[in-house]
Amino acid sequence: MKKTLHRILYRTLPLEGYLRAVSRLFFLWQRLGLGRRAPETEYVYHLPQLVRAGDTCIDIGANLGYYARTISRLAGPAGRVYAVEPVAPIRKVLSRNLRRCGNTEILPFALGAAAGPVRMGNDSARENGYFGTGRNFVNEGGGRSDVEFTAEMRRGSELFARLPRLDFIKCDIEGYEAVVMEEMRPLLERFRPTVLIETGGENRPRIVRLFTRLGYAGYTLDRGREIPLSPGSTKDIIFRPGAERPEDR
């Protein structure tokens, strides 16, 4: 049903109208408390266990603000949220969705291991029949994509070098997470933030090794509760500094 609705909206609306419509639907679902156990939305409802008032947070791959808006509310006036989103059409709607979030700053970059212009792509319309807003990827191979964007890349370790604190990172960047997290390792070592990350394929063991070596423990969600990361899991991972337990937050 949800996919069918997305296809109809994508075929009948201009891109900005489509992006605004799907984001409105998401926030409506959230207000109604729907999808608390659905894999694609359950972690949004878990954010109160990850973010506290006064926290400094980074949302890497902020998309349309599904996480950033809730993070902003939880961090409160004393907190700070940096929403990183490189794709201009998505960022335009993101800005609208975060217009009442006074503690949030939108950064128009892709994060990576170098600085400079990059090409990004999105092939989701060919696969699903609609534009998947979270399916944008850095096109390092240079092949042709269904939808292409240009963006500016920055090093996260430099972009956030002057932060006085960093408490939470959410990262969802379609296969580029290992590159970004390894480049931001100095910040992970310095601040020991809690990290929520989407990862899969060959990147997943690479990410797990990185955080294990940094002394983090991994967890996934099971019916709204954090359980230790298991080898066969494919769900998003919550990494907590080793001395911190889920019940401590």
Side-chain angles (χ1 to χ4, degrees), residues 151-225:
E152 285 293 319
M153 180 173 283
R154 294 289 185 271
R155 295 176 182 269
S157 62
E158 296 177 355
L159 191 62
F160 300 109
R162 296 185 179 181
L163 290 182
R165 61 184 289 180
L166 176 57
D167 304 285
F168 176 72
I169 299 173
K170 169 256 174 182
C171 181
D172 182 354
I173 46 177
E174 295 303 299
Y176 218 61
E177 63 276 4
V179 173
V180 170
M181 288 294 103
E182 288 169 355
E183 197 283 326
M184 292 179 63
R185 180 168 180 157
L187 295 174
L188 300 175
E189 293 175 332
R190 178 183 176 191
F191 294 111
R192 312 288 292 166
T194 299
V195 179
L196 168 60
I197 189 165
E198 182 195 53
T199 186
E202 62 184 21
N203 278 322
R204 195 173 181 89
R206 187 173 163 185
I207 283 289
V208 171
R209 283 195 301 270
L210 170 64
F211 280 93
T212 300
R213 289 168 181 168
L214 290 173
Y216 278 76
Y219 301 88
T220 56
L221 289 185
D222 179 36
R223 294 185 293 276
R225 296 179 61 253

Side-chain angles (χ1 to χ4, degrees), residues 9 34 37 45 69 74 86 152 156 161 187 210:
L9 291 172
L34 302 176
R37 298 295 180 263
Y45 289 106
R69 202 150 97 169
L74 294 169
E152 285 293 319
L187 295 174
L210 170 64

Side-chain angles (χ1 to χ4, degrees), residues 7 10 18 121-137 145-147 149 174:
R7 292 189 189 104
Y10 182 63
Y18 164 76
N122 188 313
D123 293 327
S124 58
R126 183 201 322 158
E127 299 168 7
N128 302 322
Y130 62 90
F131 183 83
T133 61
R135 298 285 299 278
N136 305 300
F137 59 91
S145 299
D146 289 348
V147 181
F149 308 95
E174 295 303 299

Side-chain angles (χ1 to χ4, degrees), residues 90-110:
I90 292 177
R91 195 169 60 246
K92 184 175 181 180
V93 179
L94 170 68
S95 179
R96 178 182 177 84
N97 289 340
L98 299 182
R99 64 191 182 278
R100 295 189 179 93
C101 300
N103 61 353
T104 301
E105 179 180 352
I106 298 174
L107 302 177
F109 305 118

Side-chain angles (χ1 to χ4, degrees), residues 14-29:
L15 181 58
E16 183 177 344
Y18 164 76
L19 296 174
R20 289 174 64 173
V22 296
S23 63
R24 286 196 194 104
L25 286 172
F26 176 89
F27 293 124
L28 173 61
W29 274 55

Side-chain angles (χ1 to χ4, degrees), residues 33-55:
L34 302 176
R36 287 184 178 274
R37 298 295 180 263
E40 65 270 22
T41 51
E42 61 180 334
Y43 284 83
V44 176
Y45 289 106
H46 194 69
L47 286 172
Q49 308 305 317
L50 306 176
V51 179
R52 293 180 290 197
D55 278 357

